[in-house]
């Protein structure tokens, strides 16, 4: 959730150009931030008893968070060698820097986890993902492609086999709340939740960072690669979603799942379109055939990963256009996208102030969203104009620089 790219200082919006790579990646990250904020503040399901999916639920649920994770992998690739990954002492220095950055993110996540907030906070999972991806940072593109494909295909199957064992434990290895400092006292339960039974299962989500590493190793400043990301991303995402819909609605998957005792509550049809979080996804192999958001299945990973690739390609194309016409029109997204850790944390803190309480008189969910979104955009643009990092980005960068520092050798 923090910018990883190393690049020259950005110029003032409207008065110069910036790297299309950095602008496009930051803009995509800003779009992901605003999308996640939408799912936190506006309904994803309509009123009962139909519980029909809303526009926000259909468009942003699952995809915004996945985009964050893919962008994390892209950022790591850009900071550890782009097309040619670092090796030897340089690689180990980069890994130490990433680990220190992850530590800062984890501390912030654990602090936010103590808030009374009806938001699934991603930061601790995000930090663990950074640590899990360290062994892959030195791999070249071909090897990364094989690892990414293998992880997308196999991790959902292994997770499906492991999850019932963790849920059947006494007590179940599941938190049912955001990770916080107290959970460090029950490490087995914390790790079980982080990797398999929680909202963002790290074991499957490693796929997103591997996809991001693959994308980040490409020549992202070329129009050919940018168009390839858009077209291939749309094709993969569309195919995965079509297969998932066929499996559920035509081949009998939803009928088989609807009789399971754990699918009571919201209509299963709506949940398969918006979010299957809260369902244990055990007791039937049909769970592996859905492309539902947050399902963590192969089809879900392919769909949301494909959407992320297409979004990244689109914003890279727009970044190239902004560079050519010498007008940084993406600053409304790239500004907040360059300081998502600070803005996301502030957003969660703001939401906690209204959890389980009525909104102030005259306010609506949509009004609350636009107030926070426009504030985030304004803050991001201001920090860009001032050429300043966000406060938490500054802390993460300082920790990364400290971790990656290599003492000079005398020769």
């Amino acid at each position: 959730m923090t910018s990883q790219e190393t690049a020259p200082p950005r110029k003032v919006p409207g008065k110069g150009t910036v790297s299309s790579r950095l602008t496009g990646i930051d803009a995509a990250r800003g779009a992901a931030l605003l999308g996640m904020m939408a799912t936190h503040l506006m309904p994803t399901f309509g009123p009962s008893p139909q519980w029909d999916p809303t526009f926000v639920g259909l468009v942003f649920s699952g995809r915004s968070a996945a985009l964050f994770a893919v962008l994390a992998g892209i950022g790591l690739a850009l900071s550890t060698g782009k097309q040619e990954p670092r090796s030897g002492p340089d690689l180990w220095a980069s890994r130490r820097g990433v680990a220190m950055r992850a530590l800062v993110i984890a501390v912030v996540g654990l602090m936010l986890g103590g808030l009374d907030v009806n938001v699934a906070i991603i930061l601790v999972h995000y930090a663990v993902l950074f640590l899990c991806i360290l062994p892959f940072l030195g791999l070249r593109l071909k090897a990364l492609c094989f690892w990414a494909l293998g992880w997308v295909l196999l991790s959902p199957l292994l997770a499906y086999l492991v999850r019932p064992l963790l849920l059947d434990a006494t007590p179940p290895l599941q938190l049912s709340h955001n990770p916080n400092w107290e959970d460090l006292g029950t490490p087995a339960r914390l790790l079980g939740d982080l990797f398999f039974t929680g909202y963002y299962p790290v074991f499957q989500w490693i796929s997103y960072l591997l996809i991001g590493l693959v994308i980040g190793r490409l020549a992202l400043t070329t129009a050919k690669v940018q168009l390839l990301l858009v077209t291939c991303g749309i094709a993969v995402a569309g195919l995965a979603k079509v297969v998932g819909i066929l499996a559920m609605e035509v081949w009998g998957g939803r009928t088989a799942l609807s009789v399971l005792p754990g699918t009571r509550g919201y209509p299963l049809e709506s949940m398969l379109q918006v979010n299957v979080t809260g369902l244990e996804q055990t007791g039937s192999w049909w769970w592996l055939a859905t492309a539902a958001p947050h399902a963590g299945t192969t089809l879900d990973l392919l769909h949301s990963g494909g959407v992320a690739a297409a979004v990244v390609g689109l914003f890279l194309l727009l970044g190239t256009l902004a560079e050519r016409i010498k007008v940084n029109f993406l600053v409304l997204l790239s500004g907040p996208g360059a300081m998502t850790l600070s803005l996301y944390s502030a957003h969660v803190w703001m939401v906690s102030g209204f959890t389980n309480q009525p909104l102030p008189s005259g306010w609506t969910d949509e009004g609350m969203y636009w107030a926070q979104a426009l504030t985030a955009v304004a803050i991001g643009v201001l920090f860009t104009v001032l050429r300043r990092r966000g406060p938490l980005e500054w802390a993460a960068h300082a920790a990364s620089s400290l971790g990656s520092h290599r003492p000079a050798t005398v020769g």
Side-chain angles (χ1 to χ4, degrees):
M1 194 165 289
T2 57
S3 296
Q4 298 278 341
E5 301 87 349
T6 55
R10 284 172 285 180
K11 296 182 180 180
V12 177
K15 295 184 179 180
T17 63
V18 294
S19 165
S20 61
R21 175 181 303 179
L22 184 58
T23 302
I25 296 302
D26 276 348
R29 193 180 288 111
L33 172 67
L34 297 182
M36 288 189 75
M37 290 172 61
T39 63
H40 296 162
L41 294 170
M42 291 193 284
T44 55
F45 292 96
S48 62
Q50 289 82 15
W51 301 111
D52 292 327
T54 65
F55 174 81
V56 171
L58 290 173
V59 175
F60 298 112
S61 183
R63 298 181 181 90
S64 298
L67 177 57
F68 261 132
V70 171
L71 286 164
I74 295 174
L76 289 171
L78 296 178
S79 66
T80 55
K82 303 179 179 65
Q83 286 90 1
E84 288 295 328
R86 295 171 185 170
S87 59
D90 289 337
L91 175 59
W92 284 103
S94 295
R95 285 171 172 163
R96 290 194 304 270
V98 172
M100 290 295 290
R101 186 183 296 268
L103 178 61
V104 172
I105 296 172
V107 168
V108 175
L110 291 171
M111 293 176 64
L112 293 175
L115 298 175
D116 181 17
V117 60
N118 190 26
V119 169
I121 302 172
I122 197 174
L123 293 185
V124 177
H125 307 77
Y126 201 74
V128 175
L129 282 168
F130 273 46
L131 298 178
C132 290
I133 209 69
L134 292 179
F136 301 96
L137 295 183
L139 298 182
R140 296 183 182 274
L141 179 59
K142 184 177 181 179
L144 282 172
C145 288
F146 281 113
W147 272 104
L149 179 60
W151 213 281
V152 168
L153 294 176
L154 297 179
S155 64
L157 173 61
L158 295 176
Y160 178 80
L161 296 174
V162 170
R163 193 183 303 113
L165 303 178
L166 302 182
L167 294 174
D168 290 341
T170 306
L173 300 183
Q174 185 178 37
L175 293 178
S176 300
H177 60 257
N178 288 311
N180 56 55
W181 292 107
E182 293 182 0
D183 296 317
L184 296 178
T186 54
R189 190 179 177 199
L190 174 61
L191 292 174
D193 187 274
L194 289 175
F195 278 89
F196 293 102
T197 62
Y199 199 82
Y200 307 105
V202 166
F203 187 69
Q204 293 106 295
W205 276 54
I206 291 174
S207 303
Y208 292 130
L209 269 76
L210 288 171
I211 292 171
L213 282 177
V214 169
I215 294 174
R217 292 279 185 251
L218 303 176
L220 295 181
T221 55
T222 64
K224 180 180 179 180
V225 169
Q226 295 165 3
L227 289 170
L228 184 69
L229 289 174
V230 174
T231 55
C232 290
I234 291 175
V236 170
L239 179 61
K241 182 59 73 173
V242 167
V243 172
I245 292 174
L246 289 174
M248 291 295 105
E249 305 301 330
V250 178
W251 301 334
R254 181 160 63 90
T255 301
L257 295 176
S258 63
V259 301
L260 298 177
T263 57
R264 304 297 183 262
Y266 290 111
L268 182 59
E269 181 181 7
S270 295
M271 296 191 75
L272 290 173
Q273 296 179 71
V274 176
N275 192 338
V276 295
T277 300
L279 302 181
E280 293 184 354
Q281 297 183 64
T282 60
S284 174
W285 290 99
W286 276 109
W287 285 119
L288 293 174
T290 175
H294 289 294
T297 62
T298 293
L299 291 176
D300 173 34
L301 296 173
L302 287 173
H303 173 75
S304 50
V307 170
V311 170
V312 169
L314 173 62
F315 279 110
L316 288 171
L317 284 169
L318 292 174
T320 299
L321 175 61
E323 185 176 3
R324 288 178 178 175
I325 65 176
K326 302 185 184 302
V327 177
N328 186 12
F329 57 83
L330 285 180
V331 69
L332 295 178
L333 288 176
S334 63
M339 52 182 300
T340 48
L341 181 59
S342 296
L343 294 174
Y344 177 88
S345 301
H347 158 70
V348 171
W349 179 77
M350 286 287 295
V351 172
S352 70
F354 299 99
T355 299
N356 299 322
Q357 298 183 24
L359 293 175
S361 178
W363 283 85
T364 62
D365 294 326
E366 291 76 11
M368 186 64 69
Y369 168 73
W370 285 110
Q372 291 199 29
L374 293 175
T375 300
V377 169
I379 293 173
V381 172
L382 176 63
F383 272 71
T384 298
V385 170
L386 297 176
R387 302 186 188 182
R388 294 289 186 269
R389 301 180 190 273
L392 294 181
E393 283 71 24
W394 180 90
H397 176 75
S400 178
S401 298
L402 179 64
S404 59
H405 175 71
R406 290 178 58 197
T409 57
V410 178

